[in-house]
Amino acid sequence: MITVDCKDILPLKSPLAVYTSDQVGAVPALKIREFVLDSVSDEEVDAARVIKAIKDFLDSLSIAKHFAVIQNRNLISIVAIDDYKVEPQPAQPTDQFFSCIHCGYVTQFEAVYNNHMKIHYL
C-alpha cells in the first residue's frame, strides 16, 4: 500500500488519484489530504510507477516544474517548490451529461465524448 500526500495540490487530488490508479492498476482510497493506492492482486504497488504517473499527470497540466515528488518508504509527497498554488476549478454547469470515467471530462455532446474517450486508449 502506498500513500500519496496531496496537501499542496488539494484541488487536483481526485483526478490525480483516478489517473494514477489507472496507470498502476491499483485501487484508490481518498482521504482528506491524501489518497492511498492498494494493489488488486497480491503484488505490491510499484512506487516508481506511481511517481512516474504523478509526474506525467503534473506535466500534462504544465505545472510539473512547480512541484517535487518525494518518496519516503511507502509515503509519496507532492511538495510545491516555489509556493505555487493550484487554483480550485470553477463549478461546472449541471446540464452536461457525458462524463469521462478516466479523467472527469464532461460534455453535453455524445460525439465529442466519444472522440475524447479514444485518447485514453491510444
Side-chain angles (χ1 to χ4, degrees):
M1 216 167 31
I2 292 183
T3 302
V4 180
D5 181 7
C6 300
K7 68 179 178 199
D8 288 348
I9 59 164
L10 279 179
L12 299 175
K13 179 184 68 170
S14 294
L16 175 62
V18 171
Y19 179 81
T20 306
S21 66
D22 281 349
Q23 295 299 310
V24 299
V27 178
L30 296 176
K31 295 185 175 184
I32 293 174
R33 297 177 190 260
E34 59 191 22
F35 64 90
V36 177
L37 295 171
D38 196 9
S39 178
V40 177
S41 63
D42 291 336
E43 298 176 10
E44 289 292 319
V45 177
D46 184 12
R49 289 181 62 203
V50 173
I51 291 170
K52 182 180 179 338
I54 292 169
K55 288 180 179 180
D56 290 345
F57 180 82
L58 295 173
D59 194 41
S60 72
L61 298 174
S62 301
I63 60 173
K65 64 183 178 185
H66 299 289
F67 294 96
V69 181
I70 302 167
Q71 179 184 5
N72 185 6
R73 296 189 183 141
N74 288 339
L75 174 66
I76 297 173
S77 300
I78 305 167
V79 181
I81 297 172
D82 55 3
D83 294 330
Y84 182 82
K85 300 290 183 202
V86 177
E87 298 297 323
Q89 297 294 325
Q92 297 284 333
T94 58
D95 61 343
Q96 298 173 343
F97 51 87
F98 290 101
S99 178
C100 178
I101 59 171
H102 300 290
C103 67
Y105 174 76
V106 178
T107 182
Q108 65 188 67
F109 304 104
E110 185 175 10
V112 173
Y113 171 75
N114 290 335
N115 285 335
H116 170 80
M117 288 300 289
K118 291 176 186 176
I119 66 170
H120 291 292
Y121 299 102
L122 291 178

